[in-house]
Short mmCIF file of all heavy atoms in Angstrom, two decimals:
data_model
loop_
_atom_site.label_atom_id
_atom_site.label_comp_id
_atom_site.label_asym_id
_atom_site.label_seq_id
_atom_site.Cartn_x
_atom_site.Cartn_y
_atom_site.Cartn_z
N ASP A 1460 85.54 103.09 106.89
CA ASP A 1460 86.63 104.07 106.97
C ASP A 1460 86.28 105.39 107.66
O ASP A 1460 86.44 106.47 107.07
CB ASP A 1460 87.18 104.38 105.57
CG ASP A 1460 87.83 103.17 104.92
OD1 ASP A 1460 88.16 102.21 105.64
OD2 ASP A 1460 87.99 103.19 103.69
N ALA A 1463 88.98 107.93 107.30
CA ALA A 1463 89.38 108.48 106.00
C ALA A 1463 89.28 110.00 106.03
O ALA A 1463 88.29 110.57 106.51
CB ALA A 1463 88.50 107.92 104.89
N ARG A 1478 94.06 114.37 98.19
CA ARG A 1478 93.82 112.92 98.08
C ARG A 1478 93.42 112.42 99.47
O ARG A 1478 93.64 113.10 100.46
CB ARG A 1478 95.05 112.16 97.56
CG ARG A 1478 96.13 111.88 98.55
CD ARG A 1478 96.87 113.12 98.96
NE ARG A 1478 97.76 113.62 97.92
CZ ARG A 1478 98.12 114.88 97.81
NH1 ARG A 1478 97.69 115.78 98.72
NH2 ARG A 1478 98.91 115.30 96.85
N MET A 1479 92.83 111.22 99.47
CA MET A 1479 92.42 110.63 100.74
C MET A 1479 93.59 109.91 101.39
O MET A 1479 94.40 109.26 100.70
CB MET A 1479 91.29 109.62 100.53
CG MET A 1479 90.04 110.16 99.88
SD MET A 1479 89.29 111.53 100.77
CE MET A 1479 88.73 110.69 102.26
N VAL A 1480 93.66 109.97 102.73
CA VAL A 1480 94.57 109.13 103.51
C VAL A 1480 93.81 108.68 104.76
O VAL A 1480 92.70 109.15 105.01
CB VAL A 1480 95.88 109.86 103.91
CG1 VAL A 1480 96.74 110.16 102.69
CG2 VAL A 1480 95.59 111.13 104.68
N LEU A 1481 94.42 107.78 105.51
CA LEU A 1481 93.78 107.27 106.71
C LEU A 1481 94.46 107.81 107.96
O LEU A 1481 95.69 107.79 108.06
CB LEU A 1481 93.83 105.73 106.73
CG LEU A 1481 93.07 105.04 105.59
CD1 LEU A 1481 93.28 103.53 105.67
CD2 LEU A 1481 91.57 105.36 105.64
N TYR A 1493 100.23 107.83 107.30
CA TYR A 1493 101.45 107.18 106.81
C TYR A 1493 101.41 107.09 105.29
O TYR A 1493 100.34 106.91 104.69
CB TYR A 1493 101.59 105.78 107.42
CG TYR A 1493 101.92 105.86 108.88
CD1 TYR A 1493 100.91 105.95 109.84
CD2 TYR A 1493 103.24 105.92 109.31
CE1 TYR A 1493 101.20 106.08 111.18
CE2 TYR A 1493 103.55 106.05 110.65
CZ TYR A 1493 102.53 106.13 111.58
OH TYR A 1493 102.83 106.27 112.91
N THR A 1494 102.58 107.19 104.70
CA THR A 1494 102.64 107.14 103.24
C THR A 1494 104.05 106.89 102.77
O THR A 1494 105.01 106.86 103.56
CB THR A 1494 102.08 108.47 102.65
OG1 THR A 1494 101.85 108.30 101.25
CG2 THR A 1494 103.03 109.63 102.87
N ASN A 1495 104.17 106.73 101.46
CA ASN A 1495 105.46 106.64 100.79
C ASN A 1495 106.07 108.04 100.78
O ASN A 1495 105.41 108.99 100.35
CB ASN A 1495 105.22 106.11 99.37
CG ASN A 1495 106.50 105.86 98.63
OD1 ASN A 1495 107.35 106.72 98.52
ND2 ASN A 1495 106.63 104.65 98.10
N GLY A 1498 106.48 109.86 97.13
CA GLY A 1498 105.35 110.14 96.26
C GLY A 1498 105.08 111.64 96.12
O GLY A 1498 105.81 112.47 96.67
N ARG A 1499 104.00 111.93 95.41
CA ARG A 1499 103.71 113.34 95.13
C ARG A 1499 103.40 114.14 96.39
O ARG A 1499 103.89 115.27 96.56
CB ARG A 1499 102.53 113.41 94.16
CG ARG A 1499 102.15 114.84 93.83
CD ARG A 1499 101.05 114.91 92.82
NE ARG A 1499 100.62 116.30 92.65
CZ ARG A 1499 99.54 116.66 91.97
NH1 ARG A 1499 98.80 115.74 91.38
NH2 ARG A 1499 99.20 117.93 91.88
N LYS A 1500 102.56 113.58 97.27
CA LYS A 1500 102.18 114.35 98.46
C LYS A 1500 103.41 114.62 99.32
O LYS A 1500 103.56 115.69 99.91
CB LYS A 1500 101.07 113.64 99.25
CG LYS A 1500 101.49 112.36 99.95
CD LYS A 1500 100.36 111.72 100.72
CE LYS A 1500 99.58 110.68 99.95
NZ LYS A 1500 100.38 109.65 99.26
N ALA A 1501 104.33 113.63 99.38
CA ALA A 1501 105.55 113.82 100.16
C ALA A 1501 106.41 114.91 99.52
O ALA A 1501 106.99 115.75 100.22
CB ALA A 1501 106.32 112.51 100.26
N GLN A 1557 105.17 104.72 94.69
CA GLN A 1557 103.97 105.55 94.67
C GLN A 1557 104.09 106.81 93.82
O GLN A 1557 105.10 107.49 93.86
CB GLN A 1557 103.58 105.93 96.10
CG GLN A 1557 102.13 106.33 96.22
CD GLN A 1557 101.73 106.57 97.67
OE1 GLN A 1557 102.18 107.50 98.28
NE2 GLN A 1557 100.89 105.71 98.19
N SER A 1558 103.01 107.08 93.12
CA SER A 1558 102.84 108.26 92.26
C SER A 1558 103.58 108.14 90.94
O SER A 1558 103.48 109.02 90.09
CB SER A 1558 103.26 109.57 92.95
OG SER A 1558 102.63 109.73 94.19
C1 LIG B 2196 89.86 105.86 101.56
C2 LIG B 2196 91.29 105.98 101.08
C3 LIG B 2196 92.33 105.92 102.00
C4 LIG B 2196 93.66 106.04 101.58
N1 LIG B 2196 94.65 106.03 102.53
C5 LIG B 2196 95.94 106.24 102.16
C6 LIG B 2196 96.96 106.33 103.15
O1 LIG B 2196 96.72 106.27 104.38
N2 LIG B 2196 98.23 106.54 102.72
C7 LIG B 2196 98.55 106.66 101.40
O2 LIG B 2196 99.72 106.84 101.08
N3 LIG B 2196 97.60 106.59 100.43
C8 LIG B 2196 96.29 106.39 100.79
N4 LIG B 2196 95.31 106.33 99.83
C9 LIG B 2196 95.70 106.55 98.41
C10 LIG B 2196 95.87 108.07 98.18
O3 LIG B 2196 94.60 108.69 98.10
C11 LIG B 2196 96.68 108.40 96.92
O4 LIG B 2196 96.07 107.82 95.79
C12 LIG B 2196 98.12 107.91 97.00
O5 LIG B 2196 98.64 108.03 98.32
C13 LIG B 2196 99.02 108.70 96.05
O6 LIG B 2196 98.96 110.07 96.39
P1 LIG B 2196 100.06 111.14 95.88
O7 LIG B 2196 100.38 110.76 94.46
O8 LIG B 2196 99.42 112.48 96.00
O9 LIG B 2196 101.27 111.01 96.79
C14 LIG B 2196 93.97 106.21 100.21
C15 LIG B 2196 92.92 106.28 99.29
C16 LIG B 2196 91.61 106.17 99.71
C17 LIG B 2196 90.49 106.27 98.69
#
Side-chain angles (χ1 to χ4, degrees):
D1460 295 342
R1478 79 290 287 154
M1479 301 302 293
V1480 293
L1481 297 176
Y1493 289 88
T1494 193
N1495 185 307
R1499 179 176 174 190
K1500 70 179 93 49
Q1557 201 174 68
S1558 307

